[in-house]
């Protein structure tokens, strides 16, 4: 079998890690176990592609390489494969200490089975927790004051284009109070962070005078800073006593920092045996969180504390393993609730919410998820909103039609220029957008001008990849005399931090701009904005993992917003192109988005969804528990 592994490795079907892991497992299991070694190679490969586990039913009975009919490169039939693994000393059942764990047809690396099992167990316990005792009059008064009726008689459902009388922000507040774990999902502009500011005030008022220990956190430093800014901005306008406002948190941190992660170590200060001293944890940008990080976080939260998870379930999944937020929200289904919870919610809030049909056993997860529908950012005729809805619905032709329609004044389509014509095509757009970029050295103004336009790419390499596009942009701006690229640390160079640096307090996703420091003899410093509205100055020599970021990948843009977005699709199809990626690119824009691409590539992308194998969705949403209303 080794010679065939060599063939798979040479043809790059397996990475070096996959190959050597398979050989290691084969050595443990015995050299006469090629089916076990093959399963080990594939579970490693699947993990590298973002899956939590390998669903053996997918490759079972199939040839691994296109066009081959070599029977040795054909996977075993499912029943025989599972039987072989169950009899192997390296594969165990849940709870056993084995390198591989087999659950039905799903094969896990032990560590990822443990992450998923602990996360599912804790979330189910939280979802099943009973409603705490409360003062009904105080609760109603707080909810009615913090969430007054809208000025109009109805709210626009920004997702479906219909009227709904339900105040979903008010429902979210009651859910966050009633449940130990709650999820608030919604697209950009639906007011998730503003709603959470009201929820925190509401929870503080219900605490009986006891100050709540509240933690605001997010997976990246950039997302944490944006959350902190939004909460601080919302606090001043809350209709609640000043003492309540003063008790709300003023700082947010990354999840790693909240847990007290130790650099280059596999452990954190806070864990299941040393719990966080906290009453409420609010986590933003839930779609960016991978399985291991969320599992470690929930293990460190006391049973008595509330966990509130925010995010956009239609965005890209995390770069690391899993599509955890989508699994928790049951992406593809509209929320519908148990009759008991719907009645309690109506009694306490006056809001009617949809109930799952009779005959269903409603899983507890259904009563923990609220989707915000009203969009406060995009007007009813917004092309961005309409195109993103069409993309979410998998309607590629409809989305393309919207982008190509002149009436969609904030969303546009342009045929992709050839690699040779890309420089000229970008030149006019960039020189116009960055003409005044460095006519000032004030960091606040420079950042404001820099964020007017962002180029988003799908790939890192190739003629339309972020590396080549950044080189083109630097050449265009240099030849236009907007920047002077006479040194690596030229004034105006934007840099993206690509790895957490706890010593410098810089985190993956942070963006800084090189400017002369008037307090340091005008020597170049990298200025990084702080959540307080000021700037930190860092010596360029202190940065150790960074890249230029006039252009960035769509993945790196998650958690950010820009006035204008220009998205460059590649000139051919790639597995990275998915419905979620197109949606994420569209919704990074506040005012205007343009996509340069080929129509066939765009349509193929919208037809493809991210599918990552895991057992989390089945654990939280059992098949006989009702699925809500499928879109």
């Amino acid at each position: 079998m080794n010679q065939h592994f060599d063939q798979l490795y040479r043809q790059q079907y397996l990475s070096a890690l996959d190959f050597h892991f398979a050989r290691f497992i084969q050595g443990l299991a015995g050299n006469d176990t090629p089916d076990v070694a093959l399963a080990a190679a594939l579970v490693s490969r699947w993990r590298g592609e973002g899956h939590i586990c390998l669903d053996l039913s997918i490759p079972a009975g199939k040839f691994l390489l296109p066009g081959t009919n070599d029977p040795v490169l054909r996977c075993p039939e499912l029943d025989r494969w599972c039987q072989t693994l169950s009899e192997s000393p390296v594969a165990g059942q849940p709870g056993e200490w084995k390198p591989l764990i087999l659950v039905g047809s799903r094969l896990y690396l032990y560590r990822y089975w443990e992450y998923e099992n602990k996360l599912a167990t804790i979330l189910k316990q939280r979802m099943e927790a009973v409603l705490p005792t409360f003062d009904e009059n105080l609760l109603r008064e707080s909810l009615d004051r913090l969430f007054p009726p809208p000025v109009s008689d109805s709210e626009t459902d920004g997702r479906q284009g219909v009227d709904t009388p339900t105040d979903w922000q008010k429902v979210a507040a009651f859910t966050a109070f009633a449940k130990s774990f709650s999820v608030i999902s919604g697209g950009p502009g639906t007011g998730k962070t503003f709603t959470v500011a009201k929820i925190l005030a509401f929870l503080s008022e219900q605490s009986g005078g006891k100050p709540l220990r509240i933690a605001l956190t997010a997976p990246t430093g950039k997302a944490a800073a944006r959350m902190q800014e939004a909460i601080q901005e919302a606090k001043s306008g809350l209709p609640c006593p000043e003492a309540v406002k003063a008790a709300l948190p003023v700082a947010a941190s990354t999840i790693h920092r909240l847990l007290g992660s130790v650099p280059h170590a596999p452990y954190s200060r806070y864990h299941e045996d040393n719990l966080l001293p906290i009453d409420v944890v609010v986590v933003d940008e839930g779609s960016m969180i991978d399985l291991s990080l969320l599992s470690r976080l929930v293990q460190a939260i006391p049973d008595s504390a509330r966990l509130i998870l925010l995010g956009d379930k239609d965005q890209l999944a995390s770069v690391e393993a899993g599509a955890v937020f989508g699994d928790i929200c049951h992406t593809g289904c509209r929320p519908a609730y148990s009759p008991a919870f719907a009645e309690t919610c109506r009694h306490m809030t006056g809001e009617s919410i949809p109930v799952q049909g009779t005959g269903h056993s409603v899983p507890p997860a259904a009563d923990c998820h609220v989707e915000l529908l009203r969009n406060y950012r995009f007007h009813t005729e917004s092309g961005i909103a309409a195109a993103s809805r069409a993309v979410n619905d998998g309607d590629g032709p409809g989305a393309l039609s919207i982008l190509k329609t002149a009436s969609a004044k904030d969303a546009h389509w342009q045929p992709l220029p050839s690699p040779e014509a890309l420089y000229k095509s970008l030149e006019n757009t960039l020189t116009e957008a960055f003409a005044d970029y460095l006519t000032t050295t004030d960091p606040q103004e420079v950042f404001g001008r820099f964020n007017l336009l962002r180029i988003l790419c799908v790939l890192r390499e190739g003629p339309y990849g972020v590396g080549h596009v950044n080189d083109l942009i630097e050449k265009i701006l240099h030849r236009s005399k907007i920047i002077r690229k006479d040194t690596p640390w030229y004034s105006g160079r934007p840099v993206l931090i690509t790895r957490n640096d706890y010593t410098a307090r810089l985190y993956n996703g942070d963006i800084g701009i090189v400017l002369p420091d008037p307090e340091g003899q005008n020597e170049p410093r990298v200025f990084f904005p702080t959540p307080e509205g000021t700037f930190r100055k860092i010596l360029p020599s202190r940065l150790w993992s960074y890249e230029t970021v006039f252009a960035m990948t769509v993945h790196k843009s998650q958690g950010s917003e820009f006035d204008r977005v220009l998205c460059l699709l590649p000139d051919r199809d790639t597995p990275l192109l998915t419905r979620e990626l197109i949606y994420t690119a569209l919704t990074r824009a506040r005012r205007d988005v343009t996509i340069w691409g080929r129509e066939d590539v765009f349509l193929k992308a919208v037809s493809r969804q991210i599918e990552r194998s895991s057992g989390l969705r089945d654990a939280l949403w059992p098949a006989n528990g009702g699925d809500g209303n499928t879109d």
Side-chain angles (χ1 to χ4, degrees):
M1 184 64 184
N2 283 344
Q3 66 184 36
H4 299 285
F5 272 121
D6 289 341
Q7 182 180 346
L8 292 171
Y9 179 37
R10 285 195 306 271
Q11 298 199 27
Q12 299 183 342
Y13 183 84
L14 298 179
S15 69
L17 176 61
D18 306 333
F19 177 73
H20 290 292
F21 178 70
R23 296 188 65 178
F24 170 71
I25 291 296
Q26 188 173 27
L28 293 178
N31 290 326
D32 59 344
T33 54
D35 289 350
V36 174
L38 178 60
L42 294 183
V43 76
S44 176
R45 185 180 190 267
W46 254 245
R47 162 61 191 88
E49 293 180 349
H51 299 277
I52 301 302
C53 58
L54 164 66
D55 188 339
L56 294 168
S57 65
I58 295 174
K62 298 176 182 175
F63 291 101
L64 292 176
L65 296 178
T68 184
N69 58 1
D70 186 341
V72 183
L73 292 180
R74 183 177 182 177
C75 293
E77 296 298 330
L78 181 60
D79 290 344
R80 180 168 70 85
W81 209 358
C82 290
Q83 182 66 28
T84 300
L85 285 165
S86 66
E87 295 171 354
S88 169
V90 298
Q93 297 297 311
E96 292 188 281
W97 182 260
K98 298 288 182 68
L100 305 174
I101 299 296
L102 183 64
V103 185
S105 65
R106 295 189 179 107
L107 186 67
Y108 294 80
L109 298 170
Y110 177 85
R111 181 171 56 158
Y112 286 90
W113 170 80
E114 185 177 45
Y115 284 145
E116 183 181 275
N117 180 63
K118 288 188 174 181
L119 177 61
T121 299
I122 293 172
L123 291 186
K124 285 193 290 185
Q125 290 172 348
R126 287 183 166 276
M127 291 170 173
E128 294 166 359
V130 297
L131 181 67
T133 57
F134 58 92
D135 183 325
E136 289 194 15
N137 293 328
L138 175 61
L139 187 142
R140 285 198 185 93
E141 189 280 327
S142 291
L143 283 176
D144 291 343
R145 173 169 34 84
L146 288 164
F147 300 91
V151 175
S152 60
D153 293 333
S154 65
E155 294 184 349
T156 298
D157 178 339
R159 187 168 179 274
Q160 297 293 329
V162 298
D163 287 339
T164 171
T166 303
D167 184 345
W168 287 107
Q169 293 188 354
K170 193 174 187 180
V171 172
F174 176 73
T175 303
F177 172 78
K179 297 295 180 179
S180 175
F181 170 67
S182 57
V183 183
I184 303 172
S185 66
T190 53
K192 294 185 295 294
T193 312
F194 181 69
T195 300
V196 162
K198 288 187 172 185
I199 289 173
L200 295 178
F202 169 63
L203 294 177
S204 295
E205 292 183 2
Q206 306 305 309
S207 66
K210 173 189 173 184
L212 292 179
R213 298 167 297 175
I214 301 171
L216 304 177
T217 189
T220 67
K222 176 177 60 177
R226 289 187 64 241
M227 184 187 194
Q228 180 171 318
E229 292 168 2
I231 294 289
Q232 288 180 335
E233 182 179 345
K235 280 173 59 174
S236 60
L238 293 178
C240 62
E242 290 300 321
V244 173
K245 294 181 186 179
L248 298 186
V250 295
S253 72
T254 65
I255 298 175
H256 288 94
R257 171 159 286 197
L258 176 67
L259 292 175
S261 296
V262 179
H264 313 299
Y267 54 84
S268 303
R269 177 184 178 188
Y270 294 105
H271 45 76
E272 59 185 339
D273 296 319
N274 183 36
L275 301 176
L276 287 160
I278 211 74
D279 298 309
V280 181
V281 179
V282 180
V283 187
D284 200 6
E285 295 295 347
S287 62
M288 298 173 66
I289 306 174
D290 62 272
L291 173 69
S292 63
L293 186 57
L294 186 58
S295 182
R296 289 166 50 208
L297 175 63
V298 300
Q299 290 175 55
I301 299 175
D303 293 342
S304 59
R306 286 182 173 87
L307 172 59
I308 303 172
L309 192 58
L310 311 178
D312 184 347
K313 63 183 177 61
D314 298 313
Q315 270 194 186
L316 280 165
S318 63
V319 176
E320 298 297 329
V324 183
F325 192 75
D327 285 343
I328 293 173
C329 294
H330 203 328
T331 302
C333 291
R334 296 291 303 278
Y337 302 84
S338 68
F341 183 79
E343 176 56 27
T344 303
C345 181
R346 186 203 61 75
H347 178 65
M348 297 310 307
T349 68
E351 302 295 329
S352 297
I353 57 179
V355 176
Q356 292 202 15
T358 59
H360 287 295
S361 173
V362 182
D367 293 339
C368 298
H369 175 213
V370 177
E371 183 177 0
L372 303 183
L373 301 175
R374 182 181 183 184
N375 200 299
Y376 297 87
R377 178 184 303 168
F378 300 122
H379 55 78
T380 55
E381 298 178 355
S382 166
I384 296 175
S388 61
R389 284 197 300 270
V391 168
N392 273 344
D393 292 338
D395 182 7
L400 190 60
S401 175
I402 293 166
L403 293 170
K404 296 172 71 173
T405 301
S407 59
K409 298 180 180 180
D410 60 349
H412 316 280
W413 175 268
Q414 182 172 316
L416 183 70
S418 67
E420 297 75 21
L422 187 57
Y423 180 99
K424 190 65 178 177
S425 299
L426 285 172
E427 189 173 22
N428 291 337
T429 299
L430 291 170
T431 52
E432 177 185 349
F434 289 99
D436 298 326
Y437 179 39
L438 293 178
T439 57
T440 177
T441 56
D442 177 65
Q444 194 74 46
E445 292 189 30
V446 171
F447 269 89
R449 295 171 184 179
F450 173 65
N451 285 327
L452 290 176
L453 171 69
R454 186 69 82 253
I455 310 293
L456 301 183
C457 303
V458 174
L459 305 176
R460 296 195 59 82
E461 307 296 335
Y464 303 97
V466 70
H468 179 63
V469 172
N470 268 315
D471 289 341
L472 286 182
I473 293 173
E474 285 185 317
K475 290 177 182 177
I476 291 169
L477 298 183
H478 176 68
R479 291 181 182 178
S480 302
K481 298 182 180 180
I482 294 172
I483 62 172
R484 294 180 57 187
K485 195 174 178 294
D486 49 3
T487 171
W489 296 104
Y490 59 86
S491 182
R493 179 187 179 185
V495 293
L496 173 75
I497 301 301
T498 56
R499 294 182 66 181
N500 292 339
D501 183 347
Y502 295 94
T503 303
R505 291 182 292 123
L506 295 173
Y507 302 95
N508 185 12
D510 288 352
I511 291 179
I513 296 179
V514 179
L515 294 170
D517 181 12
E519 299 176 351
Q521 299 181 331
N522 284 326
E523 290 295 312
R525 299 289 187 271
V526 188
F527 285 70
F528 289 90
T530 69
E532 294 74 29
T534 59
F535 291 87
R536 295 176 57 224
K537 297 177 288 187
I538 305 291
L539 281 167
S541 60
R542 292 189 62 191
L543 304 184
W544 60 280
S545 185
Y546 58 88
E547 59 189 33
T548 302
V549 71
F550 284 111
M552 65 197 309
T553 62
V554 178
H555 280 84
K556 288 288 187 182
S557 74
Q558 283 184 274
S560 299
E561 295 172 355
F562 313 102
D563 279 12
R564 294 174 57 201
V565 165
L566 169 57
C567 179
L568 292 174
L569 301 184
D571 58 351
R572 64 200 65 189
D573 188 37
T574 167
L576 285 176
L577 276 169
T578 62
R579 182 180 306 176
E580 293 84 357
L581 183 139
I582 300 296
Y583 170 84
T584 301
L586 286 169
T587 55
R588 296 312 90 201
R590 296 189 191 96
R591 298 180 182 176
D592 185 272
V593 62
T594 301
I595 292 183
W596 290 6
R598 283 177 37 177
E599 293 186 14
D600 59 328
V601 172
F602 178 85
L603 294 174
K604 184 71 172 178
V606 176
S607 71
R608 181 191 292 124
Q609 286 186 277
I610 292 176
E611 295 182 3
R612 290 185 171 178
S613 296
S614 83
L616 183 61
R617 183 174 303 204
D618 285 353
L620 301 180
W621 299 86
N624 64 350
D627 292 332
N629 297 327
T630 303
D631 285 338

